[in-house]
Amino acid sequence: MKISNKNNLPDVLVRAIEANWYSGHGEQRFASVTELLKPTKLAILGRRYGKEIAQDASDMIWTMMGSAMHKVLEAGEDMNSLAEERIAVKIDEALITGGVDFYEDGVITDFKFTTVWSYHSASRKREWEKQLNMYAYLYRSMGFEVNALQVVAIFRDWSKRRCEAEANYPKQVETIEIPLWDEQQTLAFMRSWIADLRAAAELPDDLIPECSREERWQSETQYAVFKADGKRALRVFTSRDEADAYIREHKDAAQLQIVIREEAAKRCLDYCPVKDYCHYYRGLTPLTIESLAS
């Protein structure tokens, strides 16, 4: 990966980002837990075009901060805990590696500098669940007892005013309990993901199945039914047919209209390093991209 500096960050920050950037260089492995967590298309295109992909240093600030957190955690490590310990386990002849932020008393903890949106996003929490359960499998395979999983979320866009005003707004730091799978469930998930990666690696770029809406961090399209002069939706549906049926049966059908709500594909627009090589993203028209980003 090439690291650019379009926003003219101080040289010392760019050097620190370059020094802390990690992608498993030198490991003789099939995949890391982080790679297994990625959508298959993103992972394969990343492997194929990794040397050509450019990422700006300003987009990697929080990755660097994550590395700084690892240094802090290492300072708090004692005889009964492990911080940023990398483990490798072979599954179906594939060497899978992963590094847990912190392990102590049977609890795996992952520290994340993240956004309030992620805290409320079901799809992001499912990613966290998959990630931590894969870490649990690696640790159990090495003889460690794992009884609980948790994410410590540190919100980089936190607002004190909103926290005081909104009941469901998180505190600046939240500890989130993650469901713990049994070993067989985790092994089946990892085997399936390994098989998908192997199969996709044999396909041309444009034949690799596109990411799901959830993997694009995009909820289902909504069809909101409004009265012509209404400010609030009468009903919201996830199917156009259901919305049409509701209007046909409504006594004021002639006054009703449907407003389509298409949530932005957040990962595609802002967080996918391989989007320029992806047939799904290339298929979006400039007008669609502008609409999703707005």
Side-chain angles (χ1 to χ4, degrees):
M1 178 184 290
K2 304 171 184 177
I3 298 176
S4 59
N5 187 20
K6 296 177 182 177
N7 291 318
N8 295 317
L9 297 185
D11 289 343
V12 64
L13 278 181
V14 177
R15 291 197 301 271
I17 288 167
E18 291 173 337
N20 281 285
W21 181 69
Y22 174 78
S23 63
H25 293 310
E27 284 188 340
Q28 299 301 311
R29 51 140 171 96
F30 173 78
S32 66
V33 164
T34 304
E35 278 188 292
L36 290 183
L37 191 66
K38 293 177 182 177
T40 303
K41 191 173 185 74
L42 194 162
I44 295 299
L45 294 181
R47 289 182 177 189
R48 290 178 181 173
Y49 300 105
K51 292 182 179 180
E52 301 171 32
I53 294 169
Q55 190 163 0
D56 196 70
S58 59
D59 294 328
M60 302 179 73
I61 289 292
W62 292 104
T63 301
M64 182 185 67
M65 294 303 294
S67 297
M69 174 60 76
H70 296 159
K71 297 295 184 183
V72 172
L73 296 175
E74 287 173 5
E77 187 178 6
D78 61 23
M79 294 294 293
N80 299 311
S81 62
L82 290 172
E84 193 58 22
E85 187 74 22
R86 292 195 68 79
I87 289 178
V89 171
K90 187 168 285 190
I91 300 173
D92 293 342
E93 299 305 311
L95 189 66
I96 308 300
T97 65
V100 170
D101 284 352
F102 196 71
Y103 171 87
E104 187 172 41
D105 296 330
V107 180
I108 286 176
T109 303
D110 193 64
F111 289 78
K112 294 186 181 296
F113 289 98
T114 189
T115 63
V116 173
W117 173 84
S118 293
Y119 175 75
H120 291 296
S121 168
S123 62
R124 293 309 304 276
K125 286 183 178 177
R126 278 191 287 271
E127 287 187 6
W128 297 349
E129 184 175 334
K130 294 171 185 176
Q131 178 187 19
L132 266 68
N133 275 285
M134 285 192 280
Y135 286 149
Y137 184 86
L138 297 185
Y139 265 60
R140 284 168 166 168
S141 297
M142 299 300 291
F144 291 94
E145 182 179 8
V146 180
N147 301 315
L149 309 172
Q150 61 185 19
V151 165
V152 175
I154 304 168
F155 300 106
R156 57 182 190 247
D157 58 349
W158 187 77
S159 164
K160 182 177 181 180
R161 181 187 60 78
R162 290 188 63 187
C163 185
E164 292 172 346
E166 301 175 20
N168 66 339
Y169 197 84
K171 300 187 293 292
Q172 189 169 15
V173 179
E174 289 276 1
T175 299
I176 304 164
E177 294 184 7
I178 301 296
L180 179 62
W181 302 349
D182 64 51
E183 289 189 62
Q184 291 306 310
Q185 179 184 359
T186 311
L187 180 59
F189 170 78
M190 296 177 77
R191 280 179 165 163
S192 175
W193 219 249
I194 290 167
D196 286 347
L197 276 178
R198 282 175 168 157
E202 302 299 320
L203 297 174
D205 294 354
D206 291 355
L207 292 185
I208 300 172
E210 66 189 41
C211 302
S212 67
R213 294 182 68 91
E214 180 174 314
E215 289 171 334
R216 296 196 295 266
W217 302 342
Q218 181 179 25
S219 64
E220 293 298 320
T221 300
Q222 294 183 337
Y223 301 87
V225 179
F226 285 82
K227 278 193 173 182
D229 58 350
K231 294 183 179 180
R232 297 183 63 181
L234 299 176
R235 289 284 301 276
V236 178
F237 300 92
T238 56
S239 161
R240 179 62 185 256
D241 290 342
E242 290 177 346
D244 288 337
Y246 174 80
I247 289 177
R248 284 196 301 269
E249 297 172 5
H250 199 281
K251 61 183 179 64
D252 298 321
Q255 301 177 38
L256 302 185
Q257 60 185 8
I258 296 174
V259 174
I260 300 175
R261 297 171 174 172
E262 180 75 19
E263 186 183 58
K266 292 181 177 64
R267 177 175 248 154
C268 298
L269 295 175
D270 299 320
Y271 299 101
C272 181
V274 300
K275 62 185 180 185
D276 292 337
Y277 304 94
C278 173
H279 77 280
Y280 171 81
Y281 184 81
R282 293 198 312 269
L284 296 176
T285 66
L287 182 61
T288 301
I289 294 173
E290 182 179 351
S291 175
L292 290 175
S294 63

